[in-house]
Amino acid sequence: MDENFLIQLIKINVNNEDIIKFDKSRFSMFKSLFRIFGLSFFDNFMKQLDLLVHRKKHEKQEHRLAAEIVAGMIRGSKYWTLDMLDEFWHKLTLFLNEVCVNLSPDLFIYWGLSFRHSMENQDPRRVFQTINFIRRLIDNQPIINTFNEAFRSYLVQSLAARAKELLDHPSKLIRQMIATVLPVALQFDLTSFHGKPTHHPTINQFIDEMHHRLDQAIIICQRKSLVNHIAGTGIMDNEVHQALNLIELVVAIQGQLFATCNQP
């Protein structure tokens, strides 16, 4: 890729003042670019990304564009080989670590959305590297400050929010992964013996949200099961199937929470 062309592309998008939020159209453009051409332009973009996050002239626009490019890279890597992914994440992790250490309160929302969009509509086996990076980001805190802590909490909350949307997913594999991941995110609600502040998302909030959905699921099962029995079809209604999936997963999540609880 011609470097001057890429510089002009970056400049035009940074100076576009009409865009004030994370732009899904630009994200889709970068996703398609990396899905088609693989790592061909990766080094060119990494050079520009490094320049974007170190400039201070239009900091919000520059970080927003950088977040869109990174999200596009991650989603675009969906069909890459394992060797390509290893090379990609080795370089990208170094860049993201630096970004996370130097975030300001005005910027972490763009990067939170970047990770959220990068994991949408993905094969669960293809989000391992992304989740692994987030896990290391949470566990290893090189610099503890309010902004970094807020960013970590935002990422965990985004991941939990996405997982809660898939509680009745038809795929058993995805439900099993959620039953493993969501309790880990909810553990950040724990209050330690030293009185450290509670993190989001809270277990109480999750229980309140699930209470209403479980009530609806039980009503659906009772009503539809009776109708099917009367009709003598013996065929499980799709709505009943979703309700049963939800009930099964919530029970599994509760079991995981009890099994991994660190509080007496």
Side-chain angles (χ1 to χ4, degrees), residues 40-251:
S40 300
F41 308 134
F42 176 63
D43 289 333
N44 304 78
F45 272 91
M46 286 304 300
K47 182 178 179 180
Q48 296 304 315
L49 283 172
D50 189 61
L51 293 173
L52 279 173
V53 298
H54 286 95
R55 290 176 188 154
K56 301 297 181 182
K57 187 176 181 180
H58 304 288
E59 191 175 38
K60 283 187 178 181
Q61 294 96 313
E62 288 159 349
H63 270 264
R64 182 171 62 243
L65 179 59
E68 292 163 358
I69 293 173
V70 169
M73 285 179 171
I74 297 173
R75 279 284 294 278
S77 68
K78 182 175 182 178
Y79 300 113
W80 292 2
T81 65
L82 291 178
D83 289 339
M84 292 171 67
L85 287 172
D86 287 341
E87 180 183 349
F88 168 66
W89 276 100
H90 174 71
K91 296 180 180 179
L92 186 64
T93 298
L94 298 175
F95 169 77
L96 290 176
N97 283 336
E98 184 177 359
V99 169
C100 294
V101 167
N102 296 294
L103 279 178
S104 71
D106 295 327
L107 304 175
F108 75 80
I109 188 170
Y110 300 131
W111 289 100
L113 288 170
S114 176
F115 279 98
R116 184 170 185 174
H117 286 297
S118 70
M119 291 189 289
E120 286 182 342
N121 301 320
Q122 285 272 49
D123 183 329
R125 294 166 295 183
R126 287 287 181 169
V127 296
F128 165 76
Q129 296 279 14
T130 310
I131 294 176
N132 195 42
F133 171 78
I134 295 173
R135 180 188 60 79
R136 289 201 305 267
L137 183 68
I138 295 166
D139 291 341
N140 303 321
Q141 302 185 17
I143 298 177
I144 299 176
N145 59 47
T146 303
F147 305 147
N148 289 350
E149 188 63 26
F151 181 53
R152 292 185 183 92
S153 297
Y154 180 84
L155 290 178
V156 174
Q157 195 169 13
S158 298
L159 184 62
R162 178 61 179 158
K164 284 188 284 188
E165 294 172 5
L166 303 174
L167 290 178
D168 57 358
H169 197 280
S171 170
K172 186 174 182 179
L173 176 61
I174 291 178
R175 296 200 307 273
Q176 288 175 338
M177 292 188 68
I178 292 172
T180 302
V181 172
L182 193 54
V184 174
L186 291 170
Q187 284 181 23
F188 283 82
D189 181 36
L190 297 175
T191 302
S192 70
F193 294 108
H194 300 292
K196 291 184 178 180
T198 302
H199 294 69
H200 290 286
T202 67
I203 294 177
N204 289 337
Q205 180 185 352
F206 171 76
I207 292 174
D208 290 341
E209 291 174 0
M210 289 304 102
H211 185 272
H212 178 65
R213 292 186 63 178
L214 282 173
D215 281 343
Q216 289 181 320
I218 292 170
I219 291 172
I220 289 171
C221 289
Q222 291 175 337
R223 185 180 70 249
K224 292 293 182 74
S225 296
L226 180 61
V227 170
N228 284 342
H229 178 71
I230 293 173
T233 61
I235 300 174
M236 184 177 292
D237 184 90
N238 184 55
E239 195 175 8
V240 174
H241 200 208
Q242 284 187 316
L244 290 174
N245 287 342
L246 173 67
I247 295 170
E248 179 187 28
L249 182 54
V250 171
V251 171

